[in-house]
Every structure is written in structure tokens, then in C-alpha cells.
Amino acid sequence: MDVGTSDQCTEDGSALDTRAVPERGLAGHGLHPDELPDGLVVADETGRVVCFNAAAARITARRAEEMIGLSVERALPLEDLEGRRWWTVTDPYGGLAIRAGQPERNLLLPGGREVLVSARYVRRRPTGPVYRLVVSLRGTEARRRTERSHAELIATVAHELRSPLTSVKGFTATLLAKWERFTDDQKKLMLETVDADANRVTRLIAELLDISRIDSGRLEVRRQPVDMVAAVTRHVAGLTSTGHNPERFFIHVPDPLPDLWADPDKIDQVLGNLLENAVRHGEGKVTIEVTPTPTRTDTEGTAVTVRDEGPGIPEESMDRVFTRFWRGSKRGGTGLGLYIVKGIVEAHGGTIEVGRAPGGGAQFRFTLPVGAPAFLA
């Protein structure tokens, strides 16, 4: 790795020889070490620090100009989690000549400050002496956030699975032990409850799979012709068949719509989540408006707006609506639905936004480009 000079990097050409291969060096690209997002510390063949960029100073809480010229062991007095001095253990200058560096690992600075450290040993020839030591530093905040998110996901899943599985186990054990004691109506009621709870578990597992695919960028979209008005009508009919008042829903389609190619199953997920949220957390009439995207936009497509007349979403919560585990109320749910909705819409190349409806309730609006068949995409 080649680095350019800076206020925190010496101008000793032998240590930071970007002149030999300027097209590969940071200086050759007009990039200053302080512009790097990660900490960068470079030591020469004697182990003296010749570069200590601004990110390294921020991560280590040390003044960059005071680190130049110090031995790398003094500039970065790192210890592993067992209290061993890292430089003594790794010995970059005197260790095995076949080593190319150290993989990233969690280490400690004085005072217990945690930092992620990796190192590269640069040699002029294979198995030759190290003439440049390049150390990369990263803070642990992002990894901690990820770990917390995973822990929250596990806790949520465990909590959501416990209730339906307990119900399934209880009813099946009761039926097996006392089948003859129950009437046909009682048996039917218990089996219907088991079926509903099994569906709940299936939905939760599907949500987890969707989150995994969204997070890894592997969410597949299989585009087919989609009639958005028919899909909305079907979902509203499903809600009314479960006991909701048909007069609570109003579907508005003011203009002809362009042909839309999208994944019908995933669009059903989006509509189901948004309508369920409007019914569960909102109040009054639920309006679903399906329109072509405005002519002022560059991309032809379809826009769907779902609004209710309830209390709406507090202004301070607007930025968190599409994050994991956000719940608009205490009326149940995993808090994963809107996160999945956003992932699905964006996988289609669309956008989704939340705001306040004219009547004061919550309003969700997503747009989808017209798209193309899967075999042409």
C-alpha cells in the first residue's frame, strides 16, 4: 500500500515512496490520508511512525503530530483481550519472513479503549525484511451496533415464537390425551387455533428469511405483469371477510395506469403490511389511492398511497419508521414489517416515504418504476 504525504506524514521519500509507482499511491489519485474513513498508521523499516492520519488520531484520542517519529509500539501501545502486548506477540519486523500481515482483530488501547486493528507487512521482495508497516484502525461502534441489532432480533424472534408454539404444543397434547372427551365443535376450535398459530410461525420465519436476503443484498425480484388495482381490491376483500366494515375502505384510481412489471408475491407483502398497519394502528376511513407517477419525474411507474384518519406518527418518530423493531403502538407485531416493506420496494428500484395524511393520520406512499420482464432485466 502506498500513501502520500500530509501534515501528519513525513516527506521522507524512502519511507513513503509514491514516486516509484505514482499511479498506485494515494498522492497519485489526489487523495490525502486524512480523507480516509479508517485510521491509517504507517511505520518505516526502523519501526518509526511516518504517517498518522486524522482518523487514527480520532480513534486513538492522540495528537497526530506527536506520534510522528515515535516507535510504532509507543504510538500504538496495543494489547489483546488477555492483556498481552500485541507488538511483542506479532513481532512484524523480526517474525517469520513469509507473513504478509495480521487479520483484523479486536484490541485494547490504554484505558480500555477498544479498536479493530489489521496490519500489512510490505516487503521489497518475497521473504525480505519489512520496509513498511501499514496499520489500519477502525472504531468498534458499527460492529457493536450490528451485534446489538442481532441480539435484539434473536430476542424478538424467541419472544414471538414462544407464544404460538406453546399454544400448538398445549392444544395438540390435550387432543392426543383426551380426544374422546371433546365434542366435534371443541375439536374444530382447537385445531383452528393450532392452524392459526402455525401460520403465525410460518409468517415469522418468512420475515426472517426476507431480512436475511435484504441485509445481504440477495433479495430476488421475479418480475411479472401486476395489476395493482386488482391486488389492492383483493387485499381489501380479505380484510372485510375477516370482519372489518367494508365502508371503512375507499379505493381511488383517478387515472389510467401504465403497465407494471413487478414481483406479485412481494407486492402482496407490501400491500398486506401497509393495510394491516392502517387497520391495526390507525382509525377511521382507510384510503388507498393508486395513480401513475407524476409526469415531472423521469421514471414512468405507479404510485400507491395508503392513509388513515388516526392519530398519525409522531414527528420525532418519522426517521425510525422503516428501521428494525419500530412499533407504532403497543398493539403487537414484531416491528419488522416496515423494514421489509422498504427493502422490497427498493429492490424493485422504487422509493417509499411516510408522512402525515391531510386528515391527520399516517400516510405511506410508495412508487414503483414500470420495470421489465425478468428475462429482459
Side-chain angles (χ1 to χ4, degrees), residues 178-193:
K178 304 176 182 180
W179 179 266
E180 296 81 4
R181 300 186 184 182
F182 296 107
T183 65
D184 288 344
D185 288 341
Q186 290 173 325
K187 293 174 184 176
K188 181 180 179 182
L189 177 61
M190 285 190 279
L191 289 173
E192 288 175 344
T193 303

Side-chain angles (χ1 to χ4, degrees), residues 229 232-234 236 249-253 286-290:
V229 176
V232 170
T233 303
R234 185 173 64 253
V236 170
F249 302 95
F250 176 63
I251 302 174
H252 181 47
V253 187
V286 176
T287 300
I288 307 100
E289 187 175 59
V290 187

Side-chain angles (χ1 to χ4, degrees), residues 30-192:
L31 180 64
H32 194 286
D34 287 349
E35 297 173 359
L36 295 173
D38 293 338
L40 174 68
V41 179
V42 180
D44 62 14
E45 65 271 17
T46 68
R48 299 290 173 178
V49 174
V50 294
C51 182
F52 203 96
N53 75 345
R58 172 179 51 79
I59 292 169
T60 62
R62 294 183 159 219
R63 294 175 61 86
E65 58 271 20
E66 295 177 0
M67 299 298 105
I68 302 299
L70 293 180
S71 68
V72 70
E73 293 91 339
R74 288 185 60 194
L76 293 174
L78 297 164
E79 294 183 350
D80 63 21
L81 300 182
E82 297 176 358
R84 296 175 297 183
R85 294 176 63 84
W86 191 61
W87 297 112
T88 302
V89 173
T90 58
D91 193 13
Y93 293 94
L96 292 174
I98 61 172
R99 291 186 303 179
Q102 295 291 332
E104 186 175 72
R105 61 181 301 179
N106 197 9
L107 298 174
L108 300 175
L109 287 166
R113 181 191 297 264
E114 294 187 19
V115 62
L116 298 171
V117 182
S118 59
R120 166 89 184 278
Y121 304 159
V122 184
R123 307 175 192 272
R124 295 187 186 277
R125 65 181 187 279
T127 72
V130 173
Y131 85 97
R132 185 180 301 160
L133 172 65
V134 182
V135 181
S136 174
L137 307 174
R138 293 196 301 129
T140 59
E141 293 82 4
R143 177 172 291 187
R144 288 190 178 278
R145 285 195 297 270
T146 300
E147 290 173 351
R148 282 198 299 270
S149 179
H150 289 167
E152 290 174 357
L153 181 60
I154 292 171
T156 299
V157 170
H159 176 76
E160 293 294 326
L161 285 174
R162 181 182 298 135
S163 177
L165 290 178
T166 300
S167 172
V168 168
K169 176 63 177 175
F171 278 120
T172 53
T174 301
L175 285 171
L176 288 171
K178 304 176 182 180
W179 179 266
E180 296 81 4
R181 300 186 184 182
F182 296 107
T183 65
D184 288 344
D185 288 341
Q186 290 173 325
K187 293 174 184 176
K188 181 180 179 182
L189 177 61
M190 285 190 279
L191 289 173
E192 288 175 344

